[in-house]
């Protein structure tokens, strides 16, 4: 007994951890993730995504178990990892074994023969399950052993593994990008054969995965060891050199931005356009929620109003009943009307909620959003706005006689719009208006006592947010060419709100990061679309538990020291 | 200066008044037209009303979960609709098995009780896990954080259950004993609706008794009043909060089975709309207030059932049933704007909001 | 007639009369104290003056204009500015930003100017920042400007709140227990500082304070409230020896045992 206490050998904890892992594995299997991911190879014919998922979980739990128990002695940690892994895999094995005798399929649709086949590796039940448990033991041991390694090789190996899985999963997109880059230099063939080194018919080739693993590990190690040194040596450079280095980075970045659609091809451009539209809305909602602290869950309403105004004013296929059939404006003429209509509604819906705070405001705005969606869908307004059939025949924007048809062309329009929104947000944030919004967010009563007119300030926030959302809606309508009420559901409001919070509430770079993570990533993983919302939900919860301030939190503005140079007495160091 | 005295307020206030008067005029005119059009007979109106009561009873049971949690934590448990769904969806399989084995018809009361217990057990499990994993670590975080967590949990649960049980709609079996009508006070009423309504009301009374009279209930009220003081009095606040979630979930579990009986089908997405409706009901009655949630649920159920035919068709709107949800949401918006403390007005201090 | 005159002001909450028929007349550039036991209605009276509450009865004349019932933001624009008993800074904004918000009544630039960074806006912002830095130095908080208000030490938060109030260039400053929670050294500094505000900036100061030494040391005139009603007023000398005041603080019969109100604090 005493010896156990000395070495921290806590069997109960290991088994508990293993049981948690087992429950997760069973759920993942019953959700159907294992059996559908098995069909997708990460490393051609060697490792499928489904198997990587199962052993990945076991690996992680082995690692965690070693972390919990292996402080005193690495052998204890390794044993702990093994025990945890065995418990978890045994639970999974029991599930697989029980599926047929208990006819679990009657309740759990994914407890199918395909799942059994995947987890028994195509063998008979008993030898198959023994293989499963055996391989799990190996995976958990690996996890535990990697934990006991010193930090540098440990992180190198982990980065390598993560990179192989990422590259293997995104194989198609990455090989497309490689080919496209070569295409820019008129060397499509060379590009194809270069990509062929890494990728097989599906997933990475064997040598590709080795190269990916090794290079990721080496780069991450070098980065760990050198980045600090590089930073200091960069700071030692003369200011002029530093400045020109910064300028050239900026030039390179903008060149990349300009050529992006050609580099990444049409599929990724499409995703980028969607991300940019969400970014645009994100900047708008960031003003309302992040700056002014007004929790708006019906933000999609203004998106819809912008889109419908654009549709009604430009469509060439409007039903007679709308009374707008002859209007047929161009995109650019209709745009101010679309934005204007959103602003108007922003103010109209803003007035009744002026005195509401917090959760109540959230619920009322949610109600507004749903009312607008249901009305758009109803037969009642069908003669005016098309009902469930929506509005068709919305023309594309034309710039100097050039029609922006594809996503690769529309990209420039949305990027400019998003940049404009970022610029406006940035200028407003650092102005009297932005400060009034933040003061109101912090303490409404005191803000009013400071001379801030709450009504004007709130309505301005609602109006600005609505304008950006309306702009996004107008572009969205022109991009799709047709709009349906179903496109404007609550999920969009939730998505936009989530992305600004995951990015870092009130933070401008956070909006962009949040849009890439919450909108871009799920779009990239479209083939897993069935599990998209599941992962989205889990990600939101995890994010709030682990890093509630967001991925890129808003920075504190430095204002005092800037401009102090004119004081003869110099700068006093701020006390800690 | 005097002229500018109420400049800011008057514009807003007069707009709000205009809005208020406009709505009232519309409702009265619509109802008048609807009643005088003679499209529906008195029997139809009565059926609408009784169906409204039955569905209102379900809303009320779900609303209790929102109100209990809000009363204690001042957070909207956005995932409560999914707690309701989890119970109803899981219990379906039991009900279906009973139906196939004949137990449902040979022993309907015992069978339905077991179905209900399974539903409650599932809802309670989900709610307790939710509280433990997603909400407890975030107590004291800025308000937005638990709200986002709740939204995330809501989506996770929806799609987790879709993964487990599939995405198709499942048809809830109906015990033979519940088909047909009873004559109550001379009027024929669907048996299902009576059972649903009576069960819902009975559950509400049990809950009310529990909160008012039992020791645990008193602890819950003490924690709602002031957590710190309650802790000083030796109350295990965490335990009480878990109990609150559990009690709310039990009500949602019962509501789930009643929903299955009344609407005859369940699926993974079924929690969302009733969830929002129930929240509306809770706000309608005065959130944080238990009798309020009951009254709010019944009122909302009836208005939703009678309203489209009465007011909207009266106003000449085609296919008014499509706008059923608009009525609920409009009620929500109007209540929050004009009487945020709800029907049984327990005023919330600004700090709580 | 002074800079601010309140005549027969009453404010009720349901059955409770929080402020009962109180009249004060405050002369320009004085330090005027309102004292009284806990719950005497001092802060409620403050809230009536700043427009946070509208009193049911009476009138409030500031610089010759009736300000009763005017929204808070308008009253601030007319030159009354305040601090709070329990510090209410904008906690997630920096010290400088807090002061900048306080300058709101001085600023004219619009959001359009901000987006296009018009010369007028830029000039105004530059001046506002300079003024904010000046105020920061004035309250002795140089170097703290870029700290979030919530991370500042307690004393600094109190001073920052005063700086924020001064930023609106008020003619009258309402301080709600400025020395609450301070040690004797800090209290002495704060007392000096309040005198500075009056002497150097020429601002009339209306003060709620519990610390009798502070009140007796710097006030020109004192009004005593108890149960919402005014029970005494006068110079510190008058108040010191007023048996009614001593009774209000210590209860009936206490007057004989204590010689002066000042002892109460000790």
């Amino acid at each position: 007994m005493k010896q156990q206490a000395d070495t921290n050998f806590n069997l109960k904890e290991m088994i508990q951890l293993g049981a948690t892992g087992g429950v997760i594995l069973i759920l993942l299997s019953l959700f159907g993730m294992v059996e559908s991911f098995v069909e997708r190879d990460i490393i051609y014919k060697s490792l499928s995504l489904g198997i990587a998922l199962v052993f990945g979980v076991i690996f992680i739990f082995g690692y965690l178990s070693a972390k919990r128990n292996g402080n005193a002695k690495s052998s204890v940690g390794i044993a702990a990892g093994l025990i945890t892994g065995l418990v978890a895999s045994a639970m999974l094995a029991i599930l697989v074994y029980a599926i047929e005798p208990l006819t679990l399929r009657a309740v759990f649709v994914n407890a199918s023969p395909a799942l059994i086949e995947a987890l028994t590796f195509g063998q008979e039940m008993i030898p198959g399950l023994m293989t499963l448990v055996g391989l799990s033991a190996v995976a958990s041991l690996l996890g535990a052993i990697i934990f006991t390694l010193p930090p540098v090789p440990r992180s190198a190996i982990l980065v390598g593994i993560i990179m192989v899985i990422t590259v293997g999963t995104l194989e198609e997109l990455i090989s497309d990008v490689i080919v496209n880059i070569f295409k820019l230099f008129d060397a499509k063939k060379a590009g194809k054969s270069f990509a062929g080194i890494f990728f097989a018919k599906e997933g990475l080739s064997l040598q590709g995965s080795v190269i990916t693993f090794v290079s990721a590990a080496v780069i991450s190690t070098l980065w760990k060891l050198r980045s600090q040194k590089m930073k200091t040596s960069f700071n030692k450079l003369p200011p002029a050199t530093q400045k020109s280095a910064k300028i050239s980075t900026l030039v390179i970045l903008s060149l990349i931005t300009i050529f992006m659609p050609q580099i990444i091809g049409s599929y990724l451009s499409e995703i980028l356009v969607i991300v940019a539209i969400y970014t645009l809305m994100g900047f708008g909602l960031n003003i309302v929620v992040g700056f002014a602290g007004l929790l708006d869950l019906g933000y999609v309403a203004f998106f819809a109003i912008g889109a419908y105004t654009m549709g009604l004013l430009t469509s060439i296929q409007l039903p007679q009943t709308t009374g707008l059939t002859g209007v047929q404006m161009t995109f650019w003429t209709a745009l101010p009307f679309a934005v204007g209509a959103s602003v108007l509604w922003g103010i109209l819906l803003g007035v009744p909620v002026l005195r509401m705070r917090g959760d109540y405001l959230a619920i009322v705005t949610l109600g507004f959003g749903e009312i607008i969606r249901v009305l758009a869908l109803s037969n009642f307004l069908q003669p005016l706005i098309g009902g469930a059939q929506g509005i068709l025949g919305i023309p594309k924007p034309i710039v100097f006689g050039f029609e922006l048809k594809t996503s690769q062309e529309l990209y420039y329009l949305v990027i400019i719009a998003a940049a404009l929104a970022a610029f406006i947000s940035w200028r407003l944030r650092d102005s009297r208006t932005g400060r009034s919004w933040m003061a109101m967010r912090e303490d409404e009563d005191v803000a009013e006592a400071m001379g801030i007119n709450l009504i004007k300030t709130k309505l301005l926030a609602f109006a600005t947010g609505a304008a950006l959302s309306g702009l996004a809606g107008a572009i969205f309508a022109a991009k799709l060419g047709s709009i349906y009420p179903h496109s404007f559901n609550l999920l969009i409001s939730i998505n936009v709100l989530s992305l600004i919070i995951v990015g870092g509430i009130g933070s401008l770079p956070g909006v962009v990061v949040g849009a890439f993570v919450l909108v871009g990533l799920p779009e990239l993983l479209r083939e897993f679309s069935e599990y998209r919302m599941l992962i989205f939900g889990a990600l939101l919860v995890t994010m709030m538990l682990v890093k509630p301030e967001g991925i890129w939190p808003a920075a504190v503005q430095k204002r005092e020291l800037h401009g102090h140079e004119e004081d003869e007495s110099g700068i006093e160091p701020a006390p800690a | 200066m005097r002229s500018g005295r109420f400049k800011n307020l008057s514009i807003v206030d007069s707009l709000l008044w205009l809005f208020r008067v406009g709505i009232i005029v519309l409702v009265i005119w619509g109802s008048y037209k609807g009643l005088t059009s003679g499209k529906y007979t008195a029997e139809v109106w009565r059926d609408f009303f009784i169906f409204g009561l039955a569905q209102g009873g379900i809303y009320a049971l779900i609303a209790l979960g929102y109100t209990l949690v809000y009363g204690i934590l001042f957070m909207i448990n956005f995932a409560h609709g999914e707690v309701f769904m989890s119970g109803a969806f899981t219990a379906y399989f039991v009900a279906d098995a009973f139906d196939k084995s004949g137990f449902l018809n040979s022993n309907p009361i015992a069978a339905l009780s077991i179905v209900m217990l399974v539903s409650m057990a599932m809802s309670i499990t989900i709610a307790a896990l939710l509280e433990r994993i997603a909400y407890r670590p975030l107590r004291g975080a800025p308000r937005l954080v638990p709200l986002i967590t709740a939204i995330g949990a809501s989506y996770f649960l929806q799609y987790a259950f879709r993964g487990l049980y599939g995405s198709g709609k499942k048809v809830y079996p109906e015990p033979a004993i519940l088909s047909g009508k009873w004559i109550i006070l001379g009027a024929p009423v669907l048996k299902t609706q009576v059972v649903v309504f009576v069960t819902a009301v009975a559950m509400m009374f049990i809950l009310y008794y529990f909160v008012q009279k039992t020791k645990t209930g008193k602890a819950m009220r003490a924690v709602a009043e002031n957590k710190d003081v309650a802790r000083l009095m030796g109350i295990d606040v965490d335990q009480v909060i878990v109990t609150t979630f559990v009690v709310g979930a039990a009500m949602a579990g019962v509501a789930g089975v009643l929903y299955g009986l009344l609407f005859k089908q369940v699926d993974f997405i079924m929690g969302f709309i009733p969830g929002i409706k129930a929240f509306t009901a809770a706000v309608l009655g005065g959130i944080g207030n238990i009798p309020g949630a009951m009254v709010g649920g019944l009122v909302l159920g009836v208005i939703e059932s009678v309203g489209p035919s009465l007011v909207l068709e009266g106003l000449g709107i085609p296919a008014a049933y499509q706008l059923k949800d608009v009525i609920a949401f409009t009620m929500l918006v109007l209540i929050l704007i004009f009487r945020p403390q709800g029907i049984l007005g327990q005023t919330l201090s600004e700090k709580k909001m | 007639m002074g800079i601010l005159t309140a005549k027969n002001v009453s404010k009720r909450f349901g059955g409770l009369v929080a402020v009962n028929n109180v009249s004060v007349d405050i002369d320009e550039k004085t330090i005027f104290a309102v004292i009284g036991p806990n719950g005497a209605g001092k802060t409620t009276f403050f809230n009536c003056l700043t427009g946070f509450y509208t009193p049911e009865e009476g009138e409030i004349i500031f610089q010759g204009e009736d300000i009763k019932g005017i929204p808070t933001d308008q009253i601030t624009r007319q030159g009354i500015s305040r601090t709070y008993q329990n510090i209410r800074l904008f906690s997630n904004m920096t010290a400088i930003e807090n002061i900048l918000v306080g300058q709101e009544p001085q600023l004219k630039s619009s959001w359009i100017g901000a987006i296009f960074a018009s010369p007028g806006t830029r000039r105004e912002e530059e001046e506002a920042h300079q003024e904010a830095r000046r105020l920061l130095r004035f309250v002795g908080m140089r170097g703290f400007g870029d700290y979030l208000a919530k991370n500042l030490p307690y004393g600094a938060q109190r001073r920052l709140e005063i700086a924020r109030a001064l930023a609106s260039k008020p003619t009258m400053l309402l301080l709600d227990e400025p020395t609450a929670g301070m040690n004797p050294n800090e209290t002495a500094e704060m007392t000096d500082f309040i005198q500075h505000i009056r002497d150097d900036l020429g601002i009339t100061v209306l003060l709620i304070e519990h610390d009798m030494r502070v009140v007796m040391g710097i006030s020109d005139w004192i009004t005593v409230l108890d149960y919402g009603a005014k029970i005494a007023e006068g110079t510190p000398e008058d108040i010191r020896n007023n048996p009614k005041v001593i009774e209000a603080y210590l209860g009936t019969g206490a007057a004989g045992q204590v010689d002066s109100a000042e002892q109460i604090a000790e």
Side-chain angles (χ1 to χ4, degrees), chain A residues 26-27 30-32 106-110 289 295 297 348 351-364 366-368 370-371 373-375 377-380 445 453 455-456 490-491 494 497-498 501-502 505 529-531 533-538 540-541 544-545 548, chain B residues 8-9 11-13 15-16 19 70 74-76 78 93 133-135 137-138 143-145 147-149 151-153 155-157 159-166 170 272-273 276 279 283 287 316-319 321-323 325-326 329-330 332-333 336-337 340-341 348 350 353:
Chain A
I26 289 174
L27 284 177
L30 291 181
F31 290 162
V107 175
F108 301 108
V109 285
N110 289 306
V289 183
L295 183 51
L297 285 184
L348 279 181
V351 169
V353 299
L354 279 173
R355 305 224 180 87
M356 267 175 223
R357 297 180 188 196
D359 295 349
Y360 276 30
L361 179 65
I363 294 296
V364 169
L366 186 148
F368 280 147
E370 285 295 285
I371 291 174
R373 185 183 62 87
V374 177
L375 281 179
L377 199 58
S378 69
N379 290 4
F380 170 46
D445 299 330
N453 182 330
I455 293 173
K456 266 195 213 158
L490 178 68
L491 188 56
I494 302 279
L497 180 67
S498 305
I501 288 168
V502 167
I505 186 105
S529 60
E530 231 183 288
Y531 307 104
M533 296 307 303
L534 187 78
I535 298 167
F536 178 77
L540 275 191
V541 176
M544 288 301 99
L545 291 175
Chain B
N8 290 330
L9 288 173
I11 298 171
V12 176
D13 281 337
L15 266 174
L16 287 181
F19 191 50
Y70 197 93
F74 306 113
M75 71 166 274
I76 300 172
F78 237 94
F93 293 99
I133 297 172
Y135 299 153
L138 294 175
R143 310 190 55 113
L144 261 179
V145 172
L147 185 76
I148 293 296
T149 316
I151 291 172
Y155 281 114
F156 178 80
L157 287 173
Y159 285 83
F161 277 90
R162 183 184 119 141
L164 290 178
Y165 300 148
K170 314 275 185 202
F272 177 67
I273 293 280
I276 294 187
F279 179 76
V283 172
I287 193 152
I317 290 170
Y321 62 90
Q322 288 177 338
L323 299 183
D325 292 351
V326 170
F329 292 127
T330 312
L332 174 70
V333 171
L336 284 180
I337 293 173
Q341 70 271 39
L348 286 173
E350 273 170 0
M353 298 177 67

Side-chain angles (χ1 to χ4, degrees), chain A residues 427 432 449 451 560 572 575, chain C residues 76-77 109 115 142 145-147:
Chain A
R427 279 282 171 84
R432 173 189 167 208
E560 185 184 8
E572 291 163 33
Chain C
T76 307
R77 283 169 191 277
S109 65
I115 291 175
R142 179 197 190 111
D146 292 330
Y147 280 66

Side-chain angles (χ1 to χ4, degrees), chain C residues 93-204:
Chain C
M93 297 172 82
T94 62
I96 284 272
E97 283 170 338
N98 268 279
I99 301 177
L100 285 168
V101 173
Q103 291 184 44
E104 172 71 18
Q106 311 296 320
L107 302 180
K108 281 164 196 67
S109 65
S110 73
W111 57 278
I112 301 174
I115 291 175
F116 294 103
S118 68
T121 308
R122 271 196 300 206
R123 198 176 328 112
E124 190 183 271
E125 279 291 296
E126 187 45 46
E127 283 167 11
H129 276 78
Q130 260 175 30
E131 170 69 9
R133 286 192 286 267
R134 198 186 65 72
L135 275 167
L136 202 65
R137 285 201 297 275
F138 181 76
V139 297
M141 284 182 55
R142 179 197 190 111
F144 283 85
D146 292 330
Y147 280 66
L148 290 184
K150 64 177 176 192
N151 296 338
L152 289 170
Y154 181 79
Q157 292 194 3
R158 282 255 173 241
R159 278 177 287 157
L160 177 59
E161 220 188 11
I162 295 179
R164 183 179 68 180
L166 289 175
S168 66
K169 294 210 163 43
T171 37
M172 184 162 164
L173 181 62
L174 276 57
L175 301 175
D176 198 343
E177 297 197 23
T179 68
M182 287 185 167
N183 64 30
N185 270 336
E186 289 171 324
T187 305
E189 269 175 40
M190 181 56 79
T191 316
D192 282 349
F193 182 61
I194 295 171
Q195 255 164 340
H196 251 308
I197 293 174
R198 194 262 309 267
D199 298 344
D200 299 352
L201 305 179
I203 295 173
T204 314

Side-chain angles (χ1 to χ4, degrees), chain A residues 428-459:
Chain A
L428 285 180
R429 183 193 66 194
D430 292 344
S431 75
R432 173 189 167 208
T433 311
R435 290 193 300 265
S436 305
W437 282 333
M438 288 176 214
M440 197 167 71
R441 174 190 73 196
E442 296 293 313
D443 191 329
E444 224 172 73
D445 299 330
V446 178
E448 193 178 15
M450 292 295 122
I452 292 170
N453 182 330
L454 291 184
I455 293 173
K456 266 195 213 158
T457 313
K458 274 192 189 178
L459 289 182

Side-chain angles (χ1 to χ4, degrees), chain C residues 14 27 32 40 62 92 126 147 157 173 218 233 246:
Chain C
D27 285 326
F32 190 109
F62 179 66
N92 288 310
E126 187 45 46
Y147 280 66
Q157 292 194 3
L173 181 62
I218 59 172
E233 67 178 326
I246 298 166

Side-chain angles (χ1 to χ4, degrees), chain B residues 40-247:
Chain B
Y40 300 104
T41 60
E43 285 74 46
V44 179
W45 288 122
R46 192 192 57 217
D47 288 348
F48 281 153
F49 184 78
I50 291 169
F51 175 75
L53 281 182
Q55 103 178 343
I58 294 174
Y59 289 159
L61 284 182
I62 309 174
L64 287 170
Y66 283 103
T67 264
L68 286 169
V69 169
Y70 197 93
I72 285 191
L73 291 176
F74 306 113
M75 71 166 274
I76 300 172
N77 179 10
F78 237 94
H80 189 60
E82 275 56 54
V83 170
F84 156 78
M85 174 273 288
S86 68
F89 208 175
T90 308
Y92 156 78
F93 293 99
V94 182
D96 192 51
F98 284 168
D99 188 38
K100 286 187 178 132
S101 70
F103 184 55
L104 188 64
N105 287 321
S106 61
N107 241 332
I109 294 179
L112 279 180
S113 307
I114 295 172
V115 169
M116 221 164 251
L117 284 177
V118 169
S119 176
M120 287 163 87
M122 190 66 193
S123 291
I124 288 172
T125 312
I126 293 291
L129 283 175
L130 198 61
E131 196 276 335
R132 186 68 195 83
I133 297 172
Y135 299 153
R136 193 182 300 177
L138 294 175
R139 246 176 257 154
R143 310 190 55 113
L144 261 179
V145 172
L147 185 76
I148 293 296
T149 316
I151 291 172
S154 167
Y155 281 114
F156 178 80
L157 287 173
Q158 276 178 21
Y159 285 83
F161 277 90
R162 183 184 119 141
L164 290 178
Y165 300 148
S167 59
K169 282 192 191 315
K170 314 275 185 202
V171 180
Y172 240 78
E174 186 187 46
I177 185 179
L178 286 183
S179 62
K181 296 183 176 182
W182 277 315
I183 308 289
I184 295 173
L185 299 175
V189 186
L190 282 172
K191 286 180 184 171
T192 318
Q193 295 182 0
V194 176
V195 168
V196 167
F197 179 70
V198 170
T199 317
V201 172
M203 289 311 294
M204 289 183 236
F205 275 105
I206 293 174
L207 178 87
Y208 192 69
Y209 175 83
F210 174 77
V211 172
Q212 292 297 325
K213 301 284 178 204
T214 63
K215 201 177 162 203
T216 322
K218 282 177 187 154
M220 279 166 71
R221 284 187 290 144
V223 173
E225 207 59 49
N226 189 326
K227 279 193 209 48
D228 296 329
V229 175
R231 193 171 282 128
L232 288 176
M233 293 292 132
I235 295 173
D236 182 348
V237 172
D238 278 342
Q239 190 54 47
V240 170
I241 290 174
V242 174
T243 313
T244 311
F245 273 88
V246 163
V247 171

Side-chain angles (χ1 to χ4, degrees), chain C residues 4-81:
Chain C
L4 183 130
T5 311
K7 275 185 206 152
N8 308 55
V9 170
S10 292
K11 172 75 198 166
R12 292 184 196 87
F13 296 105
L16 176 82
V17 188
V19 175
N20 188 2
N21 208 17
V22 172
S23 302
V24 294
D25 189 23
I26 301 169
D27 285 326
E28 219 176 327
K29 296 185 189 171
T30 50
I31 297 180
F32 190 109
V34 178
I35 64 171
N38 285 328
K42 296 168 304 221
T43 299
T44 310
F45 182 59
F46 254 41
N47 283 334
C48 291
L49 297 184
T50 53
F52 194 75
Y53 295 143
T54 306
E56 280 86 15
E57 282 158 37
E59 54 184 48
I60 300 166
I61 313 286
F62 179 66
Q63 293 183 318
E65 287 185 50
D66 185 359
I67 57 166
K68 193 182 99 178
I70 292 181
T72 317
D73 58 319
Q74 301 284 336
I75 289 183
T76 307
R77 283 169 191 277
Q78 293 202 24
I80 299 182
S81 151

